[in-house]
Amino acid sequence: MAKALAWCLALVALQEALASRRPPHIFFVLVDDLGWGEVGYHNLEASDEVKTPHIDSLVREGVELNRHYVHMECTPSRVALQSGRLPVHTLTSLSHPCDENGAMPRNMTGLAATLKKAGYVTHQVGKWDAGMATPHHTPHGRGYDTSLNYFSHGNWMYTEAEWLGSCKHRPDVPLPGVIDFWDTDRPARHLNGTGYEEYIFRDRM
């Protein structure tokens, strides 16, 4: 009887321990136009040109997923990442953020919504470029609890104004467009122009 009771108590303790376990942290980075050799961990020999110690450390301590083959343009790649589907099933061309058909289709469940079902708290920082035509297309509408982002293809790092350069295949640099900087579901006016944008993103993480 005592042995059976001990086993029952051990099973209860094990169940409680498993139930209280928090899921592992996920830190996912998607970088546009990054070449294979532009990170230290892909170079067999040390290089004076490529030094990425923090990224190298994250890869050593985590998991490198290097089989997400991207589309030749950023919007389809980002929609593919968020939806888990190849661009041919979602979007195959560069699209304006306000284009309702230029985003992940609203009937598709996204990455953040799936993670939330597994008990995660979700955050997104940086370039979104997966739609903003309706609140449902935004990071918050797609399941991210918080986000600090810009919606378009690019912006100026010190002013957060929309970058209208190479998106239009123009050799000159046009005047900046509208301010494209958002804090979850509202403009990030309190952060606009306060520093270099990548550092603002870093500090939010």
Side-chain angles (χ1 to χ4, degrees), residues 85-151:
R85 300 177 186 202
L86 293 171
V88 70
H89 299 295
T90 56
L91 183 70
T92 58
S93 63
L94 195 66
S95 299
H96 191 275
C98 294
D99 180 357
E100 188 170 352
N101 297 316
M104 182 168 65
R106 287 188 286 177
N107 64 340
M108 290 184 180
T109 302
L111 177 64
T114 302
L115 287 171
K116 285 185 72 62
K117 288 179 184 175
Y120 280 91
V121 176
T122 55
H123 307 282
Q124 184 267 337
V125 296
K127 178 177 176 176
W128 176 246
D129 199 16
M132 61 165 276
T134 70
H136 186 76
H137 287 101
T138 67
H140 191 65
R142 287 297 184 180
Y144 288 96
D145 295 304
T146 66
S147 62
L148 183 64
N149 64 283
Y150 56 97
F151 287 112

Side-chain angles (χ1 to χ4, degrees), residues 148 181 191 194-204:
L148 183 64
F181 201 41
L191 295 172
T194 61
Y196 186 63
E197 188 175 81
E198 297 298 323
Y199 294 156
I200 297 172
F201 290 145
R202 177 202 62 195
D203 293 345
R204 173 57 70 92

Side-chain angles (χ1 to χ4, degrees), residues 19-92:
S20 66
R21 283 183 60 194
R22 295 176 57 174
H25 291 289
I26 298 173
F27 180 71
F28 194 96
V29 180
L30 175 66
V31 182
D32 286 332
D33 308 320
L34 181 70
W36 182 263
E38 294 180 296
V39 287
Y41 63 90
H42 280 163
N43 292 295
L44 298 177
E45 298 178 14
S47 166
D48 290 334
E49 292 182 19
V50 179
K51 294 183 180 182
T52 56
H54 298 296
I55 294 173
D56 299 348
S57 174
L58 286 169
V59 170
R60 272 194 311 275
E61 297 170 17
V63 176
E64 177 193 4
L65 304 176
N66 60 10
R67 293 294 185 253
H68 176 76
Y69 293 106
V70 297
H71 194 270
M72 63 183 175
E73 295 176 311
C74 48
T75 311
S77 290
R78 290 170 183 277
V79 170
L81 169 70
Q82 294 297 329
S83 67
R85 300 177 186 202
L86 293 171
V88 70
H89 299 295
T90 56
L91 183 70
T92 58

